PDB file of all heavy atoms in Angstrom:
ATOM      1  N   GLU A   1       0.806  -1.217   0.000  1.00  0.00           N
ATOM      2  CA  GLU A   1       0.000   0.000   0.000  1.00  0.00           C
ATOM      3  C   GLU A   1       0.839   1.266   0.000  1.00  0.00           C
ATOM      4  O   GLU A   1       0.332   2.350   0.250  1.00  0.00           O
ATOM      5  CB  GLU A   1      -0.958   0.010   1.200  1.00  0.00           C
ATOM      6  CG  GLU A   1      -2.050  -1.017   1.082  1.00  0.00           C
ATOM      7  CD  GLU A   1      -3.037  -0.971   2.235  1.00  0.00           C
ATOM      8  OE1 GLU A   1      -2.784  -0.269   3.229  1.00  0.00           O
ATOM      9  OE2 GLU A   1      -4.057  -1.652   2.125  1.00  0.00           O
ATOM     10  N   GLY A   2       2.125   1.154  -0.276  1.00  0.00           N
ATOM     11  CA  GLY A   2       2.969   2.338  -0.298  1.00  0.00           C
ATOM     12  C   GLY A   2       3.219   2.927   1.076  1.00  0.00           C
ATOM     13  O   GLY A   2       3.460   4.105   1.230  1.00  0.00           O
ATOM     14  N   THR A   3       3.163   2.078   2.075  1.00  0.00           N
ATOM     15  CA  THR A   3       3.342   2.545   3.439  1.00  0.00           C
ATOM     16  C   THR A   3       4.734   3.129   3.634  1.00  0.00           C
ATOM     17  O   THR A   3       5.695   2.699   3.013  1.00  0.00           O
ATOM     18  CB  THR A   3       3.108   1.400   4.445  1.00  0.00           C
ATOM     19  OG1 THR A   3       3.258   1.937   5.755  1.00  0.00           O
ATOM     20  CG2 THR A   3       4.097   0.266   4.282  1.00  0.00           C
ATOM     21  N   ASN A   4       4.822   4.119   4.472  1.00  0.00           N
ATOM     22  CA  ASN A   4       6.117   4.671   4.836  1.00  0.00           C
ATOM     23  C   ASN A   4       6.499   4.213   6.240  1.00  0.00           C
ATOM     24  O   ASN A   4       7.380   4.766   6.857  1.00  0.00           O
ATOM     25  CB  ASN A   4       6.084   6.203   4.761  1.00  0.00           C
ATOM     26  CG  ASN A   4       7.320   6.744   4.083  1.00  0.00           C
ATOM     27  OD1 ASN A   4       7.947   6.073   3.281  1.00  0.00           O
ATOM     28  ND2 ASN A   4       7.685   7.961   4.408  1.00  0.00           N
ATOM     29  N   THR A   5       5.792   3.193   6.750  1.00  0.00           N
ATOM     30  CA  THR A   5       6.090   2.611   8.049  1.00  0.00           C
ATOM     31  C   THR A   5       6.401   1.133   7.843  1.00  0.00           C
ATOM     32  O   THR A   5       5.504   0.302   7.804  1.00  0.00           O
ATOM     33  CB  THR A   5       4.890   2.766   9.004  1.00  0.00           C
ATOM     34  OG1 THR A   5       4.519   4.138   9.048  1.00  0.00           O
ATOM     35  CG2 THR A   5       5.250   2.290  10.392  1.00  0.00           C
ATOM     36  N   PRO A   6       7.661   0.791   7.691  1.00  0.00           N
ATOM     37  CA  PRO A   6       8.017  -0.598   7.408  1.00  0.00           C
ATOM     38  C   PRO A   6       7.853  -1.518   8.613  1.00  0.00           C
ATOM     39  O   PRO A   6       7.824  -1.046   9.753  1.00  0.00           O
ATOM     40  CB  PRO A   6       9.490  -0.506   7.002  1.00  0.00           C
ATOM     41  CG  PRO A   6       9.983   0.730   7.658  1.00  0.00           C
ATOM     42  CD  PRO A   6       8.810   1.675   7.741  1.00  0.00           C
ATOM     43  N   PRO A   7       7.753  -2.832   8.375  1.00  0.00           N
ATOM     44  CA  PRO A   7       7.585  -3.798   9.470  1.00  0.00           C
ATOM     45  C   PRO A   7       8.919  -4.222  10.094  1.00  0.00           C
ATOM     46  O   PRO A   7       9.113  -5.356  10.463  1.00  0.00           O
ATOM     47  CB  PRO A   7       6.893  -4.968   8.785  1.00  0.00           C
ATOM     48  CG  PRO A   7       7.449  -4.939   7.407  1.00  0.00           C
ATOM     49  CD  PRO A   7       7.604  -3.473   7.074  1.00  0.00           C
ATOM     50  N   PHE A   8       9.851  -3.300  10.193  1.00  0.00           N
ATOM     51  CA  PHE A   8      11.129  -3.533  10.870  1.00  0.00           C
ATOM     52  C   PHE A   8      11.501  -2.222  11.541  1.00  0.00           C
ATOM     53  O   PHE A   8      10.897  -1.177  11.272  1.00  0.00           O
ATOM     54  CB  PHE A   8      12.229  -3.981   9.894  1.00  0.00           C
ATOM     55  CG  PHE A   8      12.465  -3.035   8.756  1.00  0.00           C
ATOM     56  CD1 PHE A   8      13.304  -1.943   8.887  1.00  0.00           C
ATOM     57  CD2 PHE A   8      11.845  -3.235   7.532  1.00  0.00           C
ATOM     58  CE1 PHE A   8      13.512  -1.061   7.842  1.00  0.00           C
ATOM     59  CE2 PHE A   8      12.043  -2.371   6.475  1.00  0.00           C
ATOM     60  CZ  PHE A   8      12.884  -1.276   6.631  1.00  0.00           C
ATOM     61  N   SER A   9      12.473  -2.273  12.430  1.00  0.00           N
ATOM     62  CA  SER A   9      12.855  -1.042  13.118  1.00  0.00           C
ATOM     63  C   SER A   9      14.352  -1.036  13.397  1.00  0.00           C
ATOM     64  O   SER A   9      15.014  -2.079  13.376  1.00  0.00           O
ATOM     65  CB  SER A   9      12.068  -0.891  14.422  1.00  0.00           C
ATOM     66  OG  SER A   9      12.402  -1.946  15.301  1.00  0.00           O
ATOM     67  N   PHE A  10      14.853   0.164  13.655  1.00  0.00           N
ATOM     68  CA  PHE A  10      16.258   0.362  13.989  1.00  0.00           C
ATOM     69  C   PHE A  10      16.384   1.741  14.636  1.00  0.00           C
ATOM     70  O   PHE A  10      15.450   2.539  14.611  1.00  0.00           O
ATOM     71  CB  PHE A  10      17.155   0.255  12.747  1.00  0.00           C
ATOM     72  CG  PHE A  10      16.812   1.250  11.664  1.00  0.00           C
ATOM     73  CD1 PHE A  10      17.457   2.472  11.591  1.00  0.00           C
ATOM     74  CD2 PHE A  10      15.850   0.947  10.716  1.00  0.00           C
ATOM     75  CE1 PHE A  10      17.140   3.389  10.605  1.00  0.00           C
ATOM     76  CE2 PHE A  10      15.528   1.847   9.715  1.00  0.00           C
ATOM     77  CZ  PHE A  10      16.166   3.074   9.661  1.00  0.00           C
ATOM     78  N   ASN A  11      17.537   2.023  15.216  1.00  0.00           N
ATOM     79  CA  ASN A  11      17.826   3.343  15.778  1.00  0.00           C
ATOM     80  C   ASN A  11      18.776   4.071  14.842  1.00  0.00           C
ATOM     81  O   ASN A  11      19.743   3.490  14.346  1.00  0.00           O
ATOM     82  CB  ASN A  11      18.469   3.228  17.158  1.00  0.00           C
ATOM     83  CG  ASN A  11      17.477   2.826  18.208  1.00  0.00           C
ATOM     84  OD1 ASN A  11      16.297   3.141  18.114  1.00  0.00           O
ATOM     85  ND2 ASN A  11      17.936   2.119  19.224  1.00  0.00           N
ATOM     86  N   TYR A  12      18.484   5.346  14.599  1.00  0.00           N
ATOM     87  CA  TYR A  12      19.300   6.173  13.716  1.00  0.00           C
ATOM     88  C   TYR A  12      19.519   7.521  14.385  1.00  0.00           C
ATOM     89  O   TYR A  12      18.554   8.245  14.639  1.00  0.00           O
ATOM     90  CB  TYR A  12      18.602   6.319  12.367  1.00  0.00           C
ATOM     91  CG  TYR A  12      19.348   7.139  11.351  1.00  0.00           C
ATOM     92  CD1 TYR A  12      20.604   6.737  10.918  1.00  0.00           C
ATOM     93  CD2 TYR A  12      18.807   8.292  10.825  1.00  0.00           C
ATOM     94  CE1 TYR A  12      21.294   7.473   9.984  1.00  0.00           C
ATOM     95  CE2 TYR A  12      19.486   9.037   9.887  1.00  0.00           C
ATOM     96  CZ  TYR A  12      20.727   8.625   9.472  1.00  0.00           C
ATOM     97  OH  TYR A  12      21.424   9.354   8.543  1.00  0.00           O
ATOM     98  N   HIS A  13      20.759   7.828  14.714  1.00  0.00           N
ATOM     99  CA  HIS A  13      21.094   9.047  15.449  1.00  0.00           C
ATOM    100  C   HIS A  13      20.279   9.148  16.740  1.00  0.00           C
ATOM    101  O   HIS A  13      19.779  10.217  17.098  1.00  0.00           O
ATOM    102  CB  HIS A  13      20.869  10.292  14.595  1.00  0.00           C
ATOM    103  CG  HIS A  13      21.829  10.454  13.469  1.00  0.00           C
ATOM    104  ND1 HIS A  13      23.189  10.556  13.643  1.00  0.00           N
ATOM    105  CD2 HIS A  13      21.613  10.544  12.134  1.00  0.00           C
ATOM    106  CE1 HIS A  13      23.782  10.693  12.479  1.00  0.00           C
ATOM    107  NE2 HIS A  13      22.846  10.671  11.536  1.00  0.00           N
ATOM    108  N   GLY A  14      20.103   8.013  17.408  1.00  0.00           N
ATOM    109  CA  GLY A  14      19.397   7.989  18.676  1.00  0.00           C
ATOM    110  C   GLY A  14      17.881   8.034  18.573  1.00  0.00           C
ATOM    111  O   GLY A  14      17.204   8.122  19.577  1.00  0.00           O
ATOM    112  N   VAL A  15      17.341   7.977  17.353  1.00  0.00           N
ATOM    113  CA  VAL A  15      15.894   8.009  17.156  1.00  0.00           C
ATOM    114  C   VAL A  15      15.439   6.644  16.661  1.00  0.00           C
ATOM    115  O   VAL A  15      15.987   6.112  15.686  1.00  0.00           O
ATOM    116  CB  VAL A  15      15.503   9.095  16.120  1.00  0.00           C
ATOM    117  CG1 VAL A  15      14.003   9.072  15.866  1.00  0.00           C
ATOM    118  CG2 VAL A  15      15.953  10.463  16.597  1.00  0.00           C
ATOM    119  N   ALA A  16      14.458   6.072  17.338  1.00  0.00           N
ATOM    120  CA  ALA A  16      13.906   4.780  16.909  1.00  0.00           C
ATOM    121  C   ALA A  16      13.060   4.987  15.659  1.00  0.00           C
ATOM    122  O   ALA A  16      12.280   5.938  15.580  1.00  0.00           O
ATOM    123  CB  ALA A  16      13.064   4.172  18.016  1.00  0.00           C
ATOM    124  N   SER A  17      13.216   4.100  14.689  1.00  0.00           N
ATOM    125  CA  SER A  17      12.429   4.228  13.461  1.00  0.00           C
ATOM    126  C   SER A  17      10.967   3.883  13.682  1.00  0.00           C
ATOM    127  O   SER A  17      10.093   4.421  13.003  1.00  0.00           O
ATOM    128  CB  SER A  17      13.008   3.338  12.354  1.00  0.00           C
ATOM    129  OG  SER A  17      12.915   1.978  12.708  1.00  0.00           O
ATOM    130  N   SER A  18      10.681   3.014  14.631  1.00  0.00           N
ATOM    131  CA  SER A  18       9.282   2.675  14.924  1.00  0.00           C
ATOM    132  C   SER A  18       8.736   3.653  15.955  1.00  0.00           C
ATOM    133  O   SER A  18       9.437   4.079  16.861  1.00  0.00           O
ATOM    134  CB  SER A  18       9.173   1.248  15.442  1.00  0.00           C
ATOM    135  OG  SER A  18       9.884   1.125  16.655  1.00  0.00           O
ATOM    136  N   GLY A  19       7.486   4.027  15.779  1.00  0.00           N
ATOM    137  CA  GLY A  19       6.848   4.919  16.720  1.00  0.00           C
ATOM    138  C   GLY A  19       7.281   6.372  16.604  1.00  0.00           C
ATOM    139  O   GLY A  19       6.966   7.190  17.449  1.00  0.00           O
ATOM    140  N   SER A  20       8.024   6.696  15.560  1.00  0.00           N
ATOM    141  CA  SER A  20       8.451   8.083  15.357  1.00  0.00           C
ATOM    142  C   SER A  20       8.134   8.494  13.919  1.00  0.00           C
ATOM    143  O   SER A  20       7.628   7.702  13.127  1.00  0.00           O
ATOM    144  CB  SER A  20       9.953   8.220  15.618  1.00  0.00           C
ATOM    145  OG  SER A  20      10.694   7.585  14.588  1.00  0.00           O
ATOM    146  N   ASN A  21       8.465   9.697  13.587  1.00  0.00           N
ATOM    147  CA  ASN A  21       8.260  10.188  12.225  1.00  0.00           C
ATOM    148  C   ASN A  21       9.540  10.116  11.403  1.00  0.00           C
ATOM    149  O   ASN A  21       9.710  10.887  10.464  1.00  0.00           O
ATOM    150  CB  ASN A  21       7.747  11.639  12.261  1.00  0.00           C
ATOM    151  CG  ASN A  21       6.358  11.729  12.837  1.00  0.00           C
ATOM    152  OD1 ASN A  21       5.554  10.817  12.665  1.00  0.00           O
ATOM    153  ND2 ASN A  21       6.072  12.812  13.526  1.00  0.00           N
ATOM    154  N   LEU A  22      10.432   9.217  11.770  1.00  0.00           N
ATOM    155  CA  LEU A  22      11.729   9.143  11.100  1.00  0.00           C
ATOM    156  C   LEU A  22      11.591   9.018   9.590  1.00  0.00           C
ATOM    157  O   LEU A  22      12.257   9.723   8.843  1.00  0.00           O
ATOM    158  CB  LEU A  22      12.535   7.958  11.650  1.00  0.00           C
ATOM    159  CG  LEU A  22      13.935   7.790  11.067  1.00  0.00           C
ATOM    160  CD1 LEU A  22      14.829   8.941  11.501  1.00  0.00           C
ATOM    161  CD2 LEU A  22      14.542   6.477  11.508  1.00  0.00           C
ATOM    162  N   PHE A  23      10.708   8.155   9.112  1.00  0.00           N
ATOM    163  CA  PHE A  23      10.583   7.920   7.678  1.00  0.00           C
ATOM    164  C   PHE A  23       9.688   8.945   6.970  1.00  0.00           C
ATOM    165  O   PHE A  23       9.604   8.936   5.751  1.00  0.00           O
ATOM    166  CB  PHE A  23      10.013   6.519   7.406  1.00  0.00           C
ATOM    167  CG  PHE A  23      11.043   5.429   7.538  1.00  0.00           C
ATOM    168  CD1 PHE A  23      11.017   4.577   8.627  1.00  0.00           C
ATOM    169  CD2 PHE A  23      12.012   5.253   6.578  1.00  0.00           C
ATOM    170  CE1 PHE A  23      11.943   3.563   8.754  1.00  0.00           C
ATOM    171  CE2 PHE A  23      12.951   4.244   6.695  1.00  0.00           C
ATOM    172  CZ  PHE A  23      12.927   3.395   7.780  1.00  0.00           C
ATOM    173  N   SER A  24       9.019   9.823   7.712  1.00  0.00           N
ATOM    174  CA  SER A  24       8.047  10.722   7.083  1.00  0.00           C
ATOM    175  C   SER A  24       8.672  11.669   6.070  1.00  0.00           C
ATOM    176  O   SER A  24       8.028  12.053   5.097  1.00  0.00           O
ATOM    177  CB  SER A  24       7.283  11.514   8.144  1.00  0.00           C
ATOM    178  OG  SER A  24       8.176  12.352   8.849  1.00  0.00           O
ATOM    179  N   SER A  25       9.927  12.045   6.242  1.00  0.00           N
ATOM    180  CA  SER A  25      10.575  12.956   5.296  1.00  0.00           C
ATOM    181  C   SER A  25      11.446  12.221   4.279  1.00  0.00           C
ATOM    182  O   SER A  25      12.058  12.854   3.425  1.00  0.00           O
ATOM    183  CB  SER A  25      11.417  13.980   6.057  1.00  0.00           C
ATOM    184  OG  SER A  25      12.461  13.327   6.755  1.00  0.00           O
ATOM    185  N   TRP A  26      11.520  10.918   4.365  1.00  0.00           N
ATOM    186  CA  TRP A  26      12.339  10.144   3.445  1.00  0.00           C
ATOM    187  C   TRP A  26      11.525   9.818   2.191  1.00  0.00           C
ATOM    188  O   TRP A  26      10.327   9.586   2.256  1.00  0.00           O
ATOM    189  CB  TRP A  26      12.799   8.850   4.083  1.00  0.00           C
ATOM    190  CG  TRP A  26      13.723   8.999   5.264  1.00  0.00           C
ATOM    191  CD1 TRP A  26      13.792  10.033   6.147  1.00  0.00           C
ATOM    192  CD2 TRP A  26      14.696   8.062   5.692  1.00  0.00           C
ATOM    193  NE1 TRP A  26      14.740   9.793   7.094  1.00  0.00           N
ATOM    194  CE2 TRP A  26      15.322   8.582   6.837  1.00  0.00           C
ATOM    195  CE3 TRP A  26      15.095   6.820   5.225  1.00  0.00           C
ATOM    196  CZ2 TRP A  26      16.329   7.914   7.507  1.00  0.00           C
ATOM    197  CZ3 TRP A  26      16.102   6.146   5.904  1.00  0.00           C
ATOM    198  CH2 TRP A  26      16.715   6.699   7.024  1.00  0.00           C
ATOM    199  N   SER A  27      12.194   9.756   1.068  1.00  0.00           N
ATOM    200  CA  SER A  27      11.498   9.322  -0.149  1.00  0.00           C
ATOM    201  C   SER A  27      11.516   7.796  -0.199  1.00  0.00           C
ATOM    202  O   SER A  27      12.425   7.154   0.322  1.00  0.00           O
ATOM    203  CB  SER A  27      12.171   9.904  -1.395  1.00  0.00           C
ATOM    204  OG  SER A  27      13.488   9.423  -1.514  1.00  0.00           O
ATOM    205  N   VAL A  28      10.496   7.223  -0.812  1.00  0.00           N
ATOM    206  CA  VAL A  28      10.410   5.770  -0.935  1.00  0.00           C
ATOM    207  C   VAL A  28      10.131   5.414  -2.391  1.00  0.00           C
ATOM    208  O   VAL A  28       9.327   6.056  -3.056  1.00  0.00           O
ATOM    209  CB  VAL A  28       9.345   5.167   0.012  1.00  0.00           C
ATOM    210  CG1 VAL A  28       7.964   5.694  -0.295  1.00  0.00           C
ATOM    211  CG2 VAL A  28       9.378   3.661  -0.003  1.00  0.00           C
ATOM    212  N   VAL A  29      10.854   4.403  -2.880  1.00  0.00           N
ATOM    213  CA  VAL A  29      10.688   3.903  -4.243  1.00  0.00           C
ATOM    214  C   VAL A  29      10.391   2.419  -4.152  1.00  0.00           C
ATOM    215  O   VAL A  29      11.043   1.691  -3.390  1.00  0.00           O
ATOM    216  CB  VAL A  29      11.955   4.143  -5.093  1.00  0.00           C
ATOM    217  CG1 VAL A  29      11.821   3.518  -6.462  1.00  0.00           C
ATOM    218  CG2 VAL A  29      12.250   5.622  -5.200  1.00  0.00           C
ATOM    219  N   ARG A  30       9.430   1.987  -4.938  1.00  0.00           N
ATOM    220  CA  ARG A  30       9.021   0.580  -4.919  1.00  0.00           C
ATOM    221  C   ARG A  30       9.154  -0.011  -6.310  1.00  0.00           C
ATOM    222  O   ARG A  30       8.828   0.635  -7.307  1.00  0.00           O
ATOM    223  CB  ARG A  30       7.578   0.469  -4.465  1.00  0.00           C
ATOM    224  CG  ARG A  30       7.125  -0.956  -4.392  1.00  0.00           C
ATOM    225  CD  ARG A  30       5.706  -1.044  -3.925  1.00  0.00           C
ATOM    226  NE  ARG A  30       5.160  -2.223  -4.579  1.00  0.00           N
ATOM    227  CZ  ARG A  30       3.906  -2.437  -4.770  1.00  0.00           C
ATOM    228  NH1 ARG A  30       3.026  -1.570  -4.384  1.00  0.00           N
ATOM    229  NH2 ARG A  30       3.499  -3.525  -5.358  1.00  0.00           N
ATOM    230  N   SER A  31       9.623  -1.258  -6.368  1.00  0.00           N
ATOM    231  CA  SER A  31       9.650  -1.992  -7.635  1.00  0.00           C
ATOM    232  C   SER A  31       9.216  -3.426  -7.374  1.00  0.00           C
ATOM    233  O   SER A  31       9.408  -3.957  -6.286  1.00  0.00           O
ATOM    234  CB  SER A  31      11.047  -1.958  -8.266  1.00  0.00           C
ATOM    235  OG  SER A  31      11.979  -2.645  -7.464  1.00  0.00           O
ATOM    236  N   ASP A  32       8.596  -4.019  -8.378  1.00  0.00           N
ATOM    237  CA  ASP A  32       8.113  -5.393  -8.293  1.00  0.00           C
ATOM    238  C   ASP A  32       8.681  -6.182  -9.463  1.00  0.00           C
ATOM    239  O   ASP A  32       8.699  -5.681 -10.586  1.00  0.00           O
ATOM    240  CB  ASP A  32       6.578  -5.437  -8.349  1.00  0.00           C
ATOM    241  CG  ASP A  32       5.936  -4.635  -7.238  1.00  0.00           C
ATOM    242  OD1 ASP A  32       6.377  -4.778  -6.083  1.00  0.00           O
ATOM    243  OD2 ASP A  32       5.020  -3.860  -7.529  1.00  0.00           O
ATOM    244  N   THR A  33       9.119  -7.401  -9.183  1.00  0.00           N
ATOM    245  CA  THR A  33       9.683  -8.269 -10.211  1.00  0.00           C
ATOM    246  C   THR A  33       9.090  -9.663 -10.063  1.00  0.00           C
ATOM    247  O   THR A  33       9.145 -10.242  -8.975  1.00  0.00           O
ATOM    248  CB  THR A  33      11.226  -8.367 -10.068  1.00  0.00           C
ATOM    249  OG1 THR A  33      11.772  -7.057 -10.082  1.00  0.00           O
ATOM    250  CG2 THR A  33      11.826  -9.197 -11.176  1.00  0.00           C
ATOM    251  N   VAL A  34       8.540 -10.191 -11.140  1.00  0.00           N
ATOM    252  CA  VAL A  34       8.044 -11.568 -11.128  1.00  0.00           C
ATOM    253  C   VAL A  34       9.248 -12.486 -11.300  1.00  0.00           C
ATOM    254  O   VAL A  34       9.956 -12.412 -12.318  1.00  0.00           O
ATOM    255  CB  VAL A  34       7.006 -11.796 -12.250  1.00  0.00           C
ATOM    256  CG1 VAL A  34       6.586 -13.260 -12.283  1.00  0.00           C
ATOM    257  CG2 VAL A  34       5.802 -10.895 -12.059  1.00  0.00           C
ATOM    258  N   LEU A  35       9.498 -13.324 -10.300  1.00  0.00           N
ATOM    259  CA  LEU A  35      10.641 -14.240 -10.348  1.00  0.00           C
ATOM    260  C   LEU A  35      10.302 -15.527 -11.081  1.00  0.00           C
ATOM    261  O   LEU A  35      11.116 -16.067 -11.813  1.00  0.00           O
ATOM    262  CB  LEU A  35      11.128 -14.555  -8.932  1.00  0.00           C
ATOM    263  CG  LEU A  35      11.582 -13.348  -8.105  1.00  0.00           C
ATOM    264  CD1 LEU A  35      11.937 -13.784  -6.688  1.00  0.00           C
ATOM    265  CD2 LEU A  35      12.759 -12.652  -8.774  1.00  0.00           C
ATOM    266  N   ASP A  36       9.118 -16.044 -10.825  1.00  0.00           N
ATOM    267  CA  ASP A  36       8.597 -17.211 -11.526  1.00  0.00           C
ATOM    268  C   ASP A  36       7.099 -17.269 -11.277  1.00  0.00           C
ATOM    269  O   ASP A  36       6.538 -16.323 -10.728  1.00  0.00           O
ATOM    270  CB  ASP A  36       9.316 -18.514 -11.108  1.00  0.00           C
ATOM    271  CG  ASP A  36       9.256 -18.799  -9.619  1.00  0.00           C
ATOM    272  OD1 ASP A  36       8.197 -18.540  -8.988  1.00  0.00           O
ATOM    273  OD2 ASP A  36      10.247 -19.295  -9.059  1.00  0.00           O
ATOM    274  N   LYS A  37       6.447 -18.361 -11.654  1.00  0.00           N
ATOM    275  CA  LYS A  37       4.985 -18.409 -11.551  1.00  0.00           C
ATOM    276  C   LYS A  37       4.474 -18.373 -10.110  1.00  0.00           C
ATOM    277  O   LYS A  37       3.309 -18.087  -9.878  1.00  0.00           O
ATOM    278  CB  LYS A  37       4.418 -19.628 -12.282  1.00  0.00           C
ATOM    279  CG  LYS A  37       4.725 -20.942 -11.627  1.00  0.00           C
ATOM    280  CD  LYS A  37       4.088 -22.090 -12.384  1.00  0.00           C
ATOM    281  CE  LYS A  37       4.296 -23.389 -11.613  1.00  0.00           C
ATOM    282  NZ  LYS A  37       3.485 -24.456 -12.162  1.00  0.00           N
ATOM    283  N   ASN A  38       5.335 -18.635  -9.123  1.00  0.00           N
ATOM    284  CA  ASN A  38       4.901 -18.673  -7.729  1.00  0.00           C
ATOM    285  C   ASN A  38       5.536 -17.612  -6.835  1.00  0.00           C
ATOM    286  O   ASN A  38       5.221 -17.554  -5.650  1.00  0.00           O
ATOM    287  CB  ASN A  38       5.184 -20.044  -7.115  1.00  0.00           C
ATOM    288  CG  ASN A  38       4.318 -21.129  -7.724  1.00  0.00           C
ATOM    289  OD1 ASN A  38       3.127 -20.922  -7.938  1.00  0.00           O
ATOM    290  ND2 ASN A  38       4.908 -22.259  -8.025  1.00  0.00           N
ATOM    291  N   ARG A  39       6.435 -16.787  -7.389  1.00  0.00           N
ATOM    292  CA  ARG A  39       7.134 -15.823  -6.536  1.00  0.00           C
ATOM    293  C   ARG A  39       7.202 -14.441  -7.182  1.00  0.00           C
ATOM    294  O   ARG A  39       7.481 -14.327  -8.369  1.00  0.00           O
ATOM    295  CB  ARG A  39       8.564 -16.279  -6.240  1.00  0.00           C
ATOM    296  CG  ARG A  39       8.654 -17.588  -5.486  1.00  0.00           C
ATOM    297  CD  ARG A  39      10.087 -17.992  -5.246  1.00  0.00           C
ATOM    298  NE  ARG A  39      10.793 -18.066  -6.517  1.00  0.00           N
ATOM    299  CZ  ARG A  39      12.104 -17.826  -6.646  1.00  0.00           C
ATOM    300  NH1 ARG A  39      12.842 -17.503  -5.608  1.00  0.00           N
ATOM    301  NH2 ARG A  39      12.675 -17.921  -7.834  1.00  0.00           N
TER     302      ARG A  39
END
C-alpha cells in the first residue's frame, strides 16, 4: 500500500524508526519483479 512505516525497526542518530516520524521525510521507491509463476 505504499506505506512509509516498514515492518522492521532500527535506531538512527538515537531516534527509533518505529513509533516516530523518522521515515516521514524520506522518499520511498518501490519496484516489483516476477521471479517465476509462484514468486
